[in-house]
Amino acid sequence: MTAIDRLRERWLDQGLIWKDGPNCTASAQAPGHSTSDRSVTFRQIDGQVLMNSHADDKTAVLDAVGLTLRDLFDDPAGARYAYRDGRTVHRTYDDRGRKKFRQSGNTRGRDLYRVERLDELPTGTAVYVVEGEKDVHAIESAGGVAVCSAMGAGKAHLFDWSPLVGHTVVIVADDDEAGRRHAMQVHELVEPVAAGVAVVVAKSGKDAADHIAAGYGLDDFEPVDLGGHAGRRLKITRGSDVKMQRVRWVMEDWIPAGSLTLLAGREGLGKSTIAAQICAQITCGTLEGELHGSARNVLYIHSEDSREFTVAPRLKAAGADMDRVLFVDVQTAHTDSGTLILPLDIATLEKVIAQHQVAFVVLDAATSSMSSELSGKDDRAVRSYLEPLAQLAARQGCVVFGLCHFGKRDGTDTGKLILGSIAWSQVARSVLSVAKDVDSGHLIVTNTKANLAPRTRSMEATILSAAIETEDGPAEVGALKWLGETVRDARDLLSGADDEVDERDEITMVIRDYLIECGGSAPASDVLKATRAAGLTDNAVKKARKRAGVRTGKNGFKKGWVWTIESAHIGEGAQESSQGAEDSRI
C-alpha cells in the first residue's frame, strides 16, 4: 500500500472528510474540526507524501488518526536518495518521531543531489537550491529543477557548485537560524558563478516541502534579505580580459540586441500596433537586422488589452507566425491566469525565455508587470524594476521591449516626457519615440535616445485596416505599414512650442485687425463670424480674446455682446500694420 492510500484509508475510517485533488494532491478535515474544514493538505511525490497542517501540529494530527511520520513514506523504513557519485542518503524516523539520516557508499563524494538534471538545461535556467533531498523532490513535483548538498546545513563548502555556472539560482532558506546561515553560505559559494542569485522562504511552513504541500507554487516563494549584504564582494576584471564586441542591431540603429528598449508616445497613437508589426517580422524572419532570415519566438506580456479580442488579432493582422507567439500567465493556488510580477518573477521569466529561446519580449505596457510595491515615479523603485530586466536581456541575448506613455505636456526631451521617473529612459539602452504628423496623419518614429547608434533615424508609418478571420467570423484590425525613412523627427512634433506660439499670434492678429477695421469695436457675433472664415475655432478665439487686449460688454439693454479693443492695442495694431506695409515695400 502506498503512503497516500494508507492516509486516505485511515482518514475515512475515522469518519473524517477526505477529498482527492489534481496532480496527486488531496485535502482533508483535521481531527476535532468541523466537516467544512480542509486544513490538512497532501501531495504525493516519489516514494512519500508531503503533508501540511494549516491549523494544528502535523505530528499531533497524525497521532489523532493513529499514524506517525513514518506512515508518510511508501516504505515505513524510510526513503533512500541516490547521488550520481555513489553516495546514498537514508532518511527515516524513530519511534518518537525524530528524523534520522544515515550515509552509505561514497560518503566523500562532492556531487550535489540531482545534479545530473543540470547537464541538459539551457544556460540561465532557474535552479532551486534547497536544504534536503525531500525538498528537491517537492520542487520537482511542482515542475522545477532543484539540487541540494548532503548532510544538511553548514556543510555546503564540502560540495562542488560549479554545475550552477551561468544559471539563475534561487536559494530556498529553511525558516530557522541554521537554515538562514546555510542559505548565506550557499549564496557566497554560488554568487561568483551564477547569472543571478535570489534568496526566498516558504509562504507556509518551514521549508520548500511544507510550501509545496500547502498548495503553493514556485512563484509563491517570498523573497528575503539575509542581512542586507550577504555574499556581496567586489570583483575585479582587468581591461585586458574584457572581450570587446560590436553592437548587434535587431532593428538597425533602433533596437540593440541583448538590451532594454522603450517605445514611448502619447496614448492612442498605435504603439501596440508598432510592437505587433515588429513581433510579426521577427516570427517570420523578415525583420532587417541580426535576426533576418531566422524566424524566432516572441513573448508578449500584456495587461491593457484583451488577448482574445485585441492582442492576438493585432499580431495575426500584422502577419505573425502565431505558433511562434507566446503568452504567459502565472499559476497559483488560486488562479491559472495570474499577472506576472517583477522583479519577483524574474527567475521564472528567465527560465521561460531560455527554454523557449525567446528573442523578443514585449511589455505592453512597461508598467504592466511592475510590482505594486514599487512606484513608477521613484527613481530607485524604477531602477530596481528595470535593471534586472536589462541584465536578463544581456544574459539571454534577447530584447525586452517596453511600451511607455508620454504625459500631456510638450517638449523635445523625451526622457522627461515619459510619465513617471526619468529613470525609465536612463536605464534603457534605446528609446524610440512616436508622434503623429497632423498634416499627413502619419506616424513618425525616431530613436530619441540612441547612445549606441551612429545616427538619428526616423521612419514614417501609417495604420491601415486589415481583415482577419476569427472563431466568430471576419474582423477588422489595425495593421502598421512602414512607408520608409524620413527627415522628420518625432521631437519636432512633440515640442509643440513654436507652432503654439505662431498659432496664438495668428489668432490675436486676426482679432485685432478685424476690430481696428471696425473702428475698435464690433458685435461679438460678427467677430466670431470673421474668425471662423479665417479657419479659427470659436473656443480658440475666445481664449485669445484677453491676450489680444479685447474687453467685452453689453451695448445697451437687451442688445448683444460687443467686443472692444483697448486703445493701447489699437496703436499696437496700427504700428504692426504700418510695419507690415513698410515691409511689403522693401
Side-chain angles (χ1 to χ4, degrees):
M1 178 181 292
T2 65
I4 195 72
D5 292 332
R6 185 183 307 124
L7 290 161
R8 183 190 301 107
E9 180 179 271
R10 186 56 61 92
W11 242 261
L12 295 176
D13 285 345
Q14 297 293 318
L16 298 170
I17 302 296
W18 175 285
K19 183 176 181 181
D20 289 308
N23 303 319
C24 302
T25 62
S27 59
Q29 175 189 358
H33 290 245
S34 70
T35 56
S36 62
D37 172 86
R38 299 291 185 277
S39 61
V40 185
T41 55
F42 306 88
R43 189 183 188 102
Q44 185 177 17
I45 60 174
D46 296 336
Q48 66 184 101
V49 171
L50 304 178
M51 173 182 172
N52 185 74
S53 176
H54 296 266
D56 305 311
D57 178 73
K58 178 166 58 179
T59 304
V61 170
L62 288 170
D63 184 63
V65 296
L67 298 175
T68 69
L69 292 170
R70 288 181 175 181
D71 293 297
L72 296 177
F73 295 91
D74 288 357
D75 181 354
R80 297 171 67 255
Y81 304 109
Y83 283 63
R84 183 175 65 177
D85 58 11
R87 180 194 301 269
T88 300
V89 174
H90 305 262
R91 175 189 179 120
T92 188
Y93 290 90
D94 64 15
D95 292 334
R96 299 175 63 181
R98 294 175 300 188
K99 61 185 175 184
K100 301 181 68 175
F101 294 92
R102 180 172 61 85
Q103 310 277 327
S104 66
N106 180 19
T107 57
R108 294 187 178 181
R110 299 184 68 244
D111 272 354
L112 301 170
Y113 183 59
R114 302 290 273 180
V115 70
E116 61 273 12
R117 291 199 64 195
L118 274 57
D119 292 343
E120 302 301 322
L121 287 183
T123 301
T125 300
V127 177
Y128 290 79
V129 176
V130 292
E131 194 172 304
E133 294 87 356
K134 183 176 77 168
D135 297 307
V136 170
H137 287 274
I139 294 292
E140 290 180 348
S141 74
V145 176
V147 296
C148 74
S149 53
M151 299 185 288
K155 306 294 194 301
H157 62 288
L158 300 177
F159 294 84
D160 177 17
W161 297 92
S162 63
L164 295 177
V165 170
H167 289 295
T168 299
V169 176
V170 182
I171 303 169
V172 184
D174 276 19
D175 192 19
D176 55 28
E177 187 58 32
R180 282 174 167 77
R181 287 198 303 270
H182 180 71
M184 290 178 65
Q185 184 183 28
V186 173
H187 192 293
E188 291 179 358
L189 292 167
V190 303
E191 194 271 340
V193 301
V197 184
V199 181
V200 300
V201 293
K203 196 164 187 175
S204 176
K206 176 186 176 183
D207 54 22
D210 288 342
H211 175 92
I212 299 300
Y216 294 109
L218 301 180
D219 300 322
D220 299 317
F221 284 110
E222 297 181 338
V224 295
D225 183 359
L226 299 180
H229 303 289
R232 292 178 65 84
R233 58 169 66 91
L234 297 182
K235 179 181 178 182
I236 301 298
T237 301
R238 295 187 182 277
S240 56
D241 293 331
V242 176
K243 296 181 180 179
M244 293 177 282
Q245 299 178 346
R246 67 177 178 86
V247 178
R248 297 177 297 114
W249 294 100
V250 170
M251 199 169 184
E252 185 184 351
D253 298 326
W254 273 13
I255 307 176
S259 76
L260 169 67
T261 295
L262 300 180
L263 175 66
R266 294 202 168 93
E267 194 168 355
L269 281 188
K271 296 184 294 296
S272 298
T273 306
I274 294 173
Q277 178 62 33
I278 295 172
C279 285
Q281 290 180 273
I282 290 173
T283 63
C284 298
T286 57
L287 186 67
E288 292 296 334
E290 290 287 333
L291 302 180
H292 188 262
S294 174
R296 301 291 297 276
N297 292 340
V298 300
L299 178 63
Y300 206 105
I301 301 169
H302 62 94
S303 64
E304 296 184 350
D305 292 318
S306 163
R307 181 178 303 171
E308 293 80 6
F309 292 103
T310 306
V311 181
R314 186 183 285 145
L315 287 159
K316 185 175 181 180
D321 178 349
M322 298 303 287
D323 285 335
R324 290 193 171 276
V325 175
L326 309 177
F327 298 105
V328 63
D329 296 303
V330 174
Q331 291 183 321
T332 69
H334 309 292
T335 180
D336 288 332
S337 55
T339 302
L340 198 72
I341 300 175
L342 298 174
L344 176 64
D345 294 323
I346 195 76
T348 48
L349 174 62
E350 185 159 8
K351 179 179 178 180
V352 168
I353 291 170
Q355 287 182 339
H356 295 277
Q357 298 182 324
V358 172
F360 200 78
V361 181
V362 176
L363 298 177
D364 185 3
T367 57
S368 61
S369 300
M370 188 175 185
S371 170
S372 59
E373 298 178 359
L374 301 177
S375 169
K377 298 179 180 179
D378 182 81
D379 286 359
R380 290 186 179 181
V382 171
R383 286 183 177 277
S384 68
Y385 169 59
L386 292 182
E387 286 174 353
L389 284 169
Q391 293 161 6
L392 180 156
R395 286 193 299 269
Q396 296 299 327
C398 67
V399 172
V400 176
F401 194 68
L403 277 55
C404 296
H405 294 317
F406 283 151
K408 293 182 178 180
R409 66 174 180 169
D410 296 328
T412 58
D413 188 341
T414 55
K416 293 180 180 178
L417 292 182
I418 295 176
L419 287 175
S421 165
I422 190 69
W424 287 101
S425 64
Q426 290 175 337
V427 177
R429 285 287 190 92
S430 177
V431 176
L432 308 179
S433 296
V434 56
K436 188 172 185 178
D437 183 343
V438 294
D439 293 331
S440 65
H442 294 167
L443 301 179
I444 305 297
V445 184
T446 304
N447 52 343
T448 54
K449 178 183 177 181
N451 294 354
L452 300 178
R455 64 181 178 125
T456 297
R457 182 190 184 201
S458 290
M459 291 277 286
E460 190 168 357
T462 187
I463 297 178
L464 304 174
S465 180
I468 64 165
E469 286 296 326
T470 73
E471 298 292 328
D472 303 318
E476 294 289 326
V477 184
L480 191 85
K481 179 181 179 182
W482 291 112
L483 302 176
E485 294 200 16
T486 177
V487 296
R488 299 296 303 276
D489 191 307
R491 285 167 290 202
D492 295 337
L493 300 173
L494 291 166
S495 65
D498 293 340
D499 291 341
E500 186 176 347
V501 170
D502 291 344
E503 182 181 359
R504 288 176 178 177
D505 288 345
E506 178 187 353
I507 296 172
T508 56
M509 285 297 295
V510 171
I511 296 171
R512 288 175 185 172
D513 287 349
Y514 182 79
L515 291 174
I516 290 170
E517 289 179 4
C518 295
S521 180
S525 58
D526 290 347
V527 177
L528 293 175
K529 187 182 296 183
T531 53
R532 289 179 199 136
L536 306 176
T537 65
D538 290 357
N539 190 46
V541 170
K542 290 175 181 178
K543 287 183 178 180
R545 176 182 57 77
K546 289 184 179 180
R547 192 170 57 252
V550 174
R551 57 181 173 81
T552 62
K554 283 275 191 175
N555 187 11
F557 183 68
K558 290 187 178 181
K559 292 189 177 180
W561 289 93
V562 174
W563 285 17
T564 303
I565 189 169
E566 296 173 357
S567 58
H569 290 282
I570 293 177
E572 181 183 331
Q575 183 179 358
E576 289 171 352
S577 298
S578 174
Q579 180 65 48
E582 184 176 330
D583 291 341
S584 68
R585 293 195 297 268
I586 295 177

